[in-house]
Amino acid sequence: MSKIIFESGLELNCELVELERRYSHGADRECLVIHLKEWNNTDLKTFASTHLINGTITIKDNDNDYVYTNYEIFHELKYNGTEYVLIIAQLTAQEIKYNELLRRIEALEK
């Protein structure tokens, strides 16, 4: 069993995490496919706006930490009868550059 930790501090126990490419929100993206036994966050909009805003996810597996950045897009949450499958998509390179440009412009306006 692994633990997934969002930058917001939320920690979830997960059975399996897979890295896949999927078409999500108009682009081909890297996605984390997270298999969970339980889902306590019922409001998906609040979950996405609170825990995916910074895009950094750490997966603790045994004694190893794996850090994934720019995973800010909620793709899907489904229950297949035995487990929940949460899919979070990564920003594209163009979106990352665009967001950085916006941050620079905002800093200049202050």
Side-chain angles (χ1 to χ4, degrees):
M1 183 178 291
S2 301
K3 184 172 288 209
I4 185 163
I5 304 166
F6 296 87
E7 196 168 312
S8 65
L10 176 68
E11 296 185 12
L12 300 172
N13 291 322
C14 56
E15 300 295 316
L16 175 68
V17 178
E18 301 169 292
L19 189 61
E20 295 181 358
R21 290 200 70 79
R22 291 184 181 224
Y23 189 79
S24 177
H25 297 307
D28 189 34
R29 302 173 185 276
E30 289 290 331
C31 293
L32 289 173
V33 181
I34 304 163
H35 299 261
L36 307 159
K37 288 290 181 194
E38 298 178 358
W39 179 258
N40 297 329
N41 299 283
T42 54
D43 183 6
L44 294 176
K45 184 176 181 181
T46 302
F47 169 79
S49 65
T50 304
H51 304 297
L52 298 182
I53 196 138
N54 297 323
T56 300
I57 298 171
T58 303
I59 298 173
K60 289 187 174 280
D61 186 27
N62 298 321
D63 294 328
N64 299 317
D65 289 359
Y66 303 95
V67 178
Y68 296 89
T69 58
N70 300 311
Y71 282 82
E72 298 182 16
I73 301 171
F74 171 79
H75 177 74
E76 182 178 32
L77 175 69
K78 60 185 174 184
Y79 182 70
N80 66 12
T82 58
E83 66 183 2
Y84 292 91
V85 180
L86 173 64
I87 302 173
I88 301 170
Q90 187 179 40
L91 296 174
T92 63
Q94 293 85 0
E95 290 167 333
I96 293 166
K97 289 177 185 176
Y98 178 76
N99 289 344
E100 179 59 32
L101 180 61
L102 282 180
R103 278 185 232 129
R104 289 181 182 180
I105 291 170
E106 290 171 355
L108 289 172
E109 292 176 345
K110 291 182 183 182

